[in-house]
Amino acid sequence: MLLGVNIDHIATLRNARGGIEPNLLECAKMCINNGADSITTHLREDRRHIKDNDVKIIRAELKTKLNLEMAMTDEMQEIALKLVPDAICLVPEKRAELTTEGGLDIAGQLEHGKKFIKPLADKGIEVSLFIDPDINQISAAYKSGAQFIELHTGAYSNTFGSDKEKKSFEDLKTASAFARTMGLKVNAGHGLNYQNVVRMHEIPDLYELNIGHSIISRAISVGLPQAVKEMKELVTNEEIQRRSS
Ligand code: PXP
């Protein structure tokens, strides 16, 4: 499995003072130099953390894969077509939410989805849809022209360690297997941390995990390089993989 590091909350910290510290590009490079396979930034409609100039600079300066999370709006499509990130992940966005709360309802807007995705895919951008582990949504994702889905691991993360964990984990496993039979590549993310990430090894063929909050939080204690290294070890360690499968 690959590790994508979401650096949105480094921008949250920078924006708290409105200055230039911490330097986002420097931090993105530090993530890459310590094991991140890609960098994710979510350019929200309200620009609460990542700003337009951040993605421009990272795109221009970082040679590693850039994954741009964005809502399905005309404004974001225009930005993505100009910027040409390596990958985009389409997410639902609500103004008042603290973080992305649920998966994208692609089944409820399939025709719009197809039209939205086509010009992006035609530019060679990998398109992924952030969806709940739901068979209807996965079927729609397949029909939409996206090559990837990112399974929303929020329900699993929230129930980890409780009697509801078994069900939420099985939902992810079943959904991933179904998506793979349709030829979709499967990423996962949201709420993953240094404890609950280990079970991701029990899901065959997961391609990449996108993790932000827990890594940036741990960086406060041990530093960003160490926080990324520790997560990378959990995501790639064969011994952990063997023990959990
Ligand atoms: N994947 C997607 C699509 C997201 O929206 C987020 C949160 O921005 C993440 C992964 C990372 O979630 P977390 O910050 O909880 O690790």
Side-chain angles (χ1 to χ4, degrees), residues 6 8 69 89 91 99-100 130 150 189-191 210-213:
N6 180 316
D8 292 349
E69 272 180 29
C89 181
V91 299
T99 181
T100 316
F130 185 52
E150 179 169 327
H190 207 281
N210 283 313
I211 307 179
H213 192 264

Side-chain angles (χ1 to χ4, degrees), residues 3 5 31 34-36 194 215 224-232:
L3 171 64
V5 177
C31 292
N34 288 281
Y194 294 82
I215 294 176
L224 187 57
Q226 181 64 16
V228 173
K229 267 189 212 154
E230 287 176 12
M231 187 59 85
K232 176 75 172 181

